[in-house]
């Protein structure tokens, strides 16, 4: 058996976790002012298209690299088929001095990037389906706001970082059989990311007290 040569490790194929670690490094670099928004988007495109460590190496070559902590995700959980499947939907939701709403049925890819700069993004996962069993929503917001609504049949994990801002998880979901897993992470600078339960639909015939009428 021949000895492994220096650099051979670069030919090893990467995992989704490896891509997410590099994505967090890039978001931190933008927050530090090392790269701008356009560079962030270009490098993220490269990260999510990467196949091997050799593809990832140039992306962070000029950046101080400190791998973020990995989040353990249960791998043995069976997932409900009615939430998985469909043609991959939009990979990004970008609001710069504007707003983005995703509330109708849509298919969330394994990696969805959210950028809100002096703008707002509303994501409602109530009618969403997912390409993969485990999905990551990567958020960067500066002087903006991001609201993500999560229904009961999705398990959410929130571990973003806030600087004069915060990631706030108001859901009470726990891992359970048949639930897809959505991880919400990223960086909020002078901004807020709120993860909330999905709005409950009112039963037909229920009285709306704000209007004093019966909804039909």
């Amino acid at each position: 058996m021949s000895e492994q040569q220096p650099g051979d490790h670069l030919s090893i194929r990467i995992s989704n976790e490896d891509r997410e670690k590099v994505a967090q490094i890039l978001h931190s670099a933008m927050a530090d002012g090392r790269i701008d928004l356009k560079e962030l988007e270009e490098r993220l495109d490269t990260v999510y298209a990467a196949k091997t460590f050799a593809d990832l190496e140039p992306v962070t070559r000029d950046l101080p690299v400190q791998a973020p902590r990995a989040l353990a995700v249960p791998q043995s959980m069976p997932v409900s088929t009615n939430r998985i499947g469909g043609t991959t939907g939009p990979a990004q939701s970008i609001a710069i001095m504007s707003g983005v709403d995703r509330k109708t049925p849509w298919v969330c890819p394994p990696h969805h990037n959210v950028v809100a700069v002096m703008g707002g993004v509303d994501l409602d996962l109530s009618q969403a389906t997912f390409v993969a069993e485990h999905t990551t929503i990567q958020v960067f917001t500066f002087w903006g706001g991001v609201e993500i609504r999560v229904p009961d049949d999705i398990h959410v994990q929130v571990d973003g970082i806030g600087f004069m801002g915060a990631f706030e998880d108001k859901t009470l979901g726990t891992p359970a059989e048949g639930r897809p897993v959505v991880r919400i992470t990223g960086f909020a600078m002078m901004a807020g990311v709120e993860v909330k339960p999905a709005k409950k639909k009112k039963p037909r015939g229920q009285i709306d007290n704000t209007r004093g009428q019966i909804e039909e």
Side-chain angles (χ1 to χ4, degrees):
M1 182 181 296
S2 60
E3 293 184 1
Q4 188 178 38
Q5 298 299 315
D8 284 355
H9 69 281
L10 294 178
S11 63
I12 297 175
R13 295 183 72 88
I14 57 176
S15 66
N16 288 336
E17 183 180 2
D18 296 323
R19 295 185 184 92
E20 289 308 320
K21 288 179 180 180
V22 176
Q24 284 201 5
I25 291 169
L26 294 177
H27 279 85
S28 296
M30 178 178 170
D32 292 340
R34 300 180 191 275
I35 60 176
D36 58 26
L37 179 60
K38 182 178 179 181
E39 290 175 300
L40 173 66
E41 294 175 359
E42 291 173 349
R43 296 191 189 204
L44 285 175
D45 287 342
T46 300
V47 169
Y48 291 127
K51 301 296 184 183
T52 67
F53 283 104
D55 298 327
L56 287 181
E57 193 272 336
V59 177
T60 57
R61 183 181 297 159
D62 58 348
L63 300 174
V65 176
Q66 181 179 359
R69 64 185 178 90
L71 182 66
V73 177
Q75 299 296 321
S76 60
M77 185 189 307
V79 176
S80 175
T81 56
N82 64 355
R83 280 287 186 182
I84 305 297
T87 303
T88 301
Q92 300 183 111
S93 296
I94 299 178
I96 301 177
M97 300 181 69
S98 61
V100 173
D101 288 333
R102 298 196 188 280
K103 298 180 179 179
T104 56
W106 63 294
V107 181
C108 186
H111 310 278
H112 187 80
N113 294 309
V114 175
V115 177
V117 178
M118 292 185 285
V121 175
D122 289 337
L123 297 183
D124 192 336
L125 303 181
S126 300
Q127 301 183 67
T129 54
F130 303 89
V131 174
E133 298 176 4
H134 304 286
T135 300
T136 297
I137 298 178
Q138 186 88 31
V139 179
F140 174 80
T141 178
F142 173 70
W143 278 12
V146 176
E147 180 179 285
I148 302 175
R149 295 275 181 176
V150 182
D152 293 339
D153 61 345
I154 295 174
H155 174 54
V156 67
Q157 298 170 327
V158 182
D159 67 340
I161 299 171
F163 176 75
M164 298 179 68
F167 278 70
E168 187 174 3
D169 183 6
K170 297 182 178 179
T171 64
L172 299 175
T174 56
E177 183 174 332
R179 292 183 180 179
V181 177
V182 177
R183 179 189 179 196
I184 299 171
T185 188
F187 186 77
M189 184 172 185
M190 292 185 284
V193 178
E194 289 187 285
V195 183
K196 303 179 178 180
K199 294 180 179 179
K200 301 296 184 181
K201 292 183 179 180
K202 297 179 180 178
R204 292 177 60 84
Q206 178 177 327
I207 297 177
D208 186 342
N209 293 326
T210 62
R211 294 178 299 178
Q213 298 176 348
I214 297 179
E215 292 190 346
E216 295 292 345

